[in-house]
Every structure is written in structure tokens, then in C-alpha cells.
Amino acid sequence: MIQVDAKGLMQFINPNFVPIMTNKDRYFVLIGGAGSGKSVAVAQKLILRILKGMSKKKKHKFLCLRKTGPAAGNSIYPLLKDILNQWNLQRLYKVNKTTMSFHFVGGSEILCTGLDDPEKIKSIHGITGVWLEEATEFTHDDFKQLDLRVRGFTWDYKQLILSFNPIDENHWIRQKLFSDDIQAEIEAENQFARKEMTQEVGNKKITYAMSVMHSTYRDNEFLDDVYKARLENLINEDSNYYDIYCRGVWGVLKGLIFEHWEQCDVWPQDFDVSGYGIDFGFSVNPSSIVEAGFRGNDLYLREHCYKVGMTNKEIAVTLFGITHGRMEKPTVADSAEPKSIAEIRSLGHPCMPSVKGKDSVVFGIQRMKQYRILIYRESTNLIKELQGYKWATDRDGTPLNMPVKFNDHLIDAARYIITKLKGVPASLEIIDGSDGKQDFVEAANRETTPGDFAVDEDNDDIWQDF
């Protein structure tokens, strides 16, 4: 018999999130700022519930969702796997990498997927819990359909969990799910709020509830100091971003940079010209790869990679997988990382540095806005970035001629390749005759040459609570 020390596992759980581990309300909503630890806490809660089931010889089936399958594969799936390994539970489960599912001793399951195929979700029965990570990605109809799937008699409570950053006060979660009383509790920076709902069925009144936990980075005891400082510095860059990502309160999306773009269901097979952009990251920021393709006046963008902790070798391997070994299309990466670019080239994949200079970010944005922008529907993180990408403001709310430098990794990658493929807008070439700006214009508009593509060589008393 495999013994699991429940008390020992508690050392891994942030004390500020311990109350959510025992919450049994129908709906549990975790709203808050970046880096608060809410996603980790939800994953830990689901695993603890499965361990409780094992102790009672009972089963769970949890459905963990992002809007798309690729997004789930880059976020909730590796998060759950990391926690299971950190807790040394490898002997208790097997993982199916293809379906992104965990199958536990005793029959419990965790299924990680997206809503790409709603009919597939409808075929899953016996669900005891659903987790909507980055819940603002989902529509109100998505939520209602999932709510209807969590039904029937089960040995333990059923629960829908939503976790997200509050990016827009006009979002359906704020307008449809939150009451004014709940919102008042959040604005008062209270950590927990709860509302009960009563419905008469026949001659019987049935009461169920929704609990809300508000958290910020200050609630995360495991967060590094540099990231804390980065969040606090948002007050100097944009007050709205400071509210959303540092204070964890609903934002007001004004001054969006890209207001007109569409989603497309089909990715074209042929383009007039296309290529790939890379923005490097590692421990906190994700490494990001975007494909950009032009057909007439249409600009197509597709997210290929958005993942933290990637080495340059892993980025190169990912590029080979994306291009299937064909290297005729240019790949442009952040020129601030020359060593990374050199390493990718030494591994056999062409890669050239982006062109930067004074106002290069604004130039890149203006070039993108000259086209009809279509985003491939599976590009969940790119869509999220576009929905929040806005002009910075000062402390008085006055707009500045620069975007907020936060959550823009895929957009940056897109700018690098687009500027290389198309240059900067001709109308901007003679604006301000400073040498730095003109140097940038000339470099960005320079025709690509073949040389640019050269390749360098036992605990029942504990379990009963969860």
C-alpha cells in the first residue's frame, strides 16, 4: 500500500490559500493580480481532492480547461505535472501526453483540454469538478454549458472554479456573475466574499453559493522580489495596468492599440510573404514564437509557442518542428539577445536580429495597423495580449506615445518579423530627421539578402477537510 503524508504536503501550500482547499460551494472564483499564486492553489486543491478520494476508495473526474487545447498544453497541463512531481506522487498516476490526461490509482482522472471541440466536452460524463483557468477567455455561453455538465449524484461535492486577472469591468463575469455586494468587498480589498442563491424547485427551496477570493502578489509567499518590484513599478507606467495586475481589481480598457482585428478558423496555405518572430524569455517571461503571413492587404498572425523555462536549444527544436526543416522563410528574434540568436544559428536554424532604434516600437505598431489583422483562433495567448495591449498613461491618466511594457511578448515577436518583411510605414520615414530614427528606417526597409539566412556551423483526519 502506498502511503501519502497529507500533513507533509501542507508545507507546499501557501498559507493564504489554505481556506480554499476546504471550500465546497458550487462556484469558487479566484480573482486577482499577476503572480498571486491562484493557479497553483487551484491545481493543488484538485490533487488533494483526488488523494482524499483514494483514501476512501472513491473516484474523481476533473476537467481543467483553457479556451484552446494548445493553451492548456502550455499552462495547466505542465503545472499539474510539476506539482505532482514536487509532491513525489509519480507512483500514483500515469500520464497520457497525447490527451494531456492524468490517470490515478483507484480510477480518478484529471483531463486537460480546450473548448476547440465543444462536442468532445459533451461526451465526458461523471465530472465532479471543472476548472476554467484564464476564465476571461471564455464566453458566458461557454460557462453556462459547462455549468450544465456538472450534474448528477456523486460521493463528494461538485464545484466549478474560475481563476483570472480582472482585465475589463465590462466582462460578463463582472456583469453577470458578480453582485454589487461582491464587487464592494473586492474594492474594499477584503480577501473573501460569498453570496447565497436560493431557488424553489417544486415545494422545496434549494440553496447554493458562490465564494470569491481576491488575491495579489502580496499573498504569494513564494514569489521572487524582482517580479514584485516589476508589478509595483506599473504605477509609473499605466494606472489601469497597476489596478489589474498589481492590485487585482477590475480594469477599464481605454486606449487600446489594436481595436480592429478578427479571428479566423482557417490558416492559409500560401502567402505573398511570411516568416517567424521570436521574443526571448525564461524564468518569468515566456519565450514566444509568432508566424506572420501577408496576403494582399491581410495580415495573418499565428501563435506557435508561449512557454517559460525554454532553453535556446529547445527554442531551436521548436522552430524545426514548426518549419518541418524547411528554412526558406526568415526568422527574426529580439536583437537584445545576440548570444541566444547566435546559439540558435549554431544549432542549424537561420535566425537574424530584429532592427531596433528610436521609436521602433511605435513604427512597428503603425505598420501592423496598415493591414487587416486576422488572428488564428487557437492563438489564445496572442488574443489575450491584443485584448489588453494599450497606450501607456501617466499618473494623471494622460496618454503617452508608447505602449505599456507588460504582457506583450507575442506582439513583440510579431513586430520583429513584420518590420523585417514590410519595413516601416513610408509615411513615417521623414518624421523627425534625427539620425537615430533615420538609421532605423533605413535598416528596417533594407531588402533582405541571402546572407541574412546563413547558418553558422495515512491521514483521515486531514483528508476529511478537502
Side-chain angles (χ1 to χ4, degrees), residues 7 93 97 101 104 116 118-119 152 154 201 207 256 268 292 330 351 361 372 394 396 429 435-436 442 446:
K7 292 181 179 179
Y93 73 94
K97 296 181 180 179
S101 56
F104 294 83
D116 315 67
E119 295 302 317
T154 55
V201 180
T207 299
L256 288 177
C351 188
V361 175
R372 175 181 176 229
D394 60 22
D396 297 325
E429 291 186 23
D435 292 340
E442 292 174 354
R446 186 177 63 240

Side-chain angles (χ1 to χ4, degrees), residues 47 50 54 84 92-94 102-110:
I47 295 170
I50 284 179
M54 286 183 182
L84 287 164
L92 297 183
Y93 73 94
K94 292 183 179 180
F102 301 87
H103 304 268
F104 294 83
V105 173
S108 289
E109 298 174 279
I110 298 179

Side-chain angles (χ1 to χ4, degrees), residues 405-420:
K405 187 61 185 170
F406 196 74
N407 283 359
D408 57 357
H409 316 291
L410 290 158
I411 294 175
D412 281 353
R415 284 194 299 101
Y416 300 152
I417 182 59
I418 291 166
T419 302
K420 187 60 183 177

Side-chain angles (χ1 to χ4, degrees), residues 7-202:
K7 292 181 179 179
L9 295 180
M10 297 305 293
Q11 67 178 304
F12 298 108
I13 297 175
N14 191 323
N16 293 305
F17 285 91
V18 168
I20 85 163
M21 303 297 162
T22 57
N23 183 281
K24 301 180 181 182
D25 289 336
R26 171 76 178 186
Y27 310 108
F28 198 97
V29 180
L30 292 94
I31 177 175
S36 69
K38 51 189 177 294
S39 300
V40 171
V42 175
Q44 292 172 331
K45 176 182 174 71
L46 299 184
I47 295 170
L48 285 172
R49 291 191 66 189
I50 284 179
L51 295 176
K52 171 190 174 181
M54 286 183 182
S55 73
K56 297 180 177 294
K57 296 182 170 57
K58 301 289 186 179
K59 296 186 293 185
H60 277 294
K61 183 181 287 186
F62 295 127
L63 185 61
C64 301
L65 297 170
R66 287 286 301 271
K67 183 65 174 181
T68 69
N74 288 326
S75 55
I76 50 180
Y77 172 67
L79 174 60
L80 286 159
K81 191 173 181 179
D82 286 348
I83 294 173
L84 287 164
N85 292 338
Q86 181 190 42
W87 290 6
N88 198 26
L89 301 177
Q90 294 92 332
R91 295 176 298 167
L92 297 183
Y93 73 94
K94 292 183 179 180
V95 62
N96 185 319
K97 296 181 180 179
T98 303
T99 61
M100 297 190 295
S101 56
F102 301 87
H103 304 268
F104 294 83
V105 173
S108 289
E109 298 174 279
I110 298 179
L111 313 175
C112 302
T113 188
L115 283 186
D116 315 67
D117 184 359
E119 295 302 317
K120 179 181 177 181
I121 302 298
K122 292 180 181 179
S123 68
I124 301 174
H125 301 283
I127 299 171
T128 51
V130 174
W131 175 22
L132 284 71
E133 167 69 332
E134 302 289 0
T136 51
E137 298 174 350
F138 298 87
T139 67
H140 193 206
D141 282 342
D142 291 336
F143 174 76
K144 289 187 290 186
Q145 287 294 326
L146 290 166
D147 195 6
L148 293 174
R149 302 302 304 168
V150 184
R151 63 179 185 261
F153 295 99
T154 55
W155 71 275
D156 200 13
Y157 66 95
K158 296 179 289 293
Q159 189 171 62
L160 287 86
I161 302 176
L162 292 75
S163 54
F164 60 92
N165 302 123
I167 60 173
D168 183 5
E169 67 175 4
N170 295 311
H171 196 274
W172 68 264
I173 295 177
R174 168 65 182 96
Q175 301 299 322
K176 302 287 187 179
L177 208 58
F178 280 26
S179 64
D180 290 339
D181 289 344
I182 290 286
Q183 182 61 22
E185 294 287 334
I186 293 172
E187 292 177 358
E189 299 189 357
N190 292 325
Q191 191 172 30
F192 292 96
R194 188 173 186 266
K195 73 172 182 178
E196 292 187 349
M197 294 151 279
T198 301
Q199 178 65 47
E200 189 169 325
V201 180

Side-chain angles (χ1 to χ4, degrees), residues 359-369 415 418-419 424:
D359 294 332
S360 60
V361 175
V362 175
F363 284 160
I365 290 170
Q366 293 298 328
R367 172 56 84 186
M368 292 175 67
K369 294 178 75 170
R415 284 194 299 101
I418 291 166
T419 302
V424 299

Side-chain angles (χ1 to χ4, degrees), residues 251-305:
V252 180
L253 288 182
K254 296 180 180 179
L256 288 177
I257 294 174
F258 294 104
E259 298 185 274
H260 305 292
W261 51 273
E262 308 167 33
Q263 293 187 42
C264 63
D265 295 328
V266 178
W267 185 255
Q269 295 301 307
D270 299 300
F271 293 103
D272 301 334
V273 63
S274 63
Y276 304 92
I278 305 174
D279 190 54
F280 295 108
F282 191 71
S283 59
V284 175
N285 296 325
S287 295
S288 307
I289 303 175
V290 169
E291 181 177 2
F294 291 90
R295 299 182 78 184
N297 198 48
D298 292 342
L299 164 59
Y300 288 82
L301 295 174
R302 182 179 188 175
E303 168 190 335
H304 280 289
C305 178

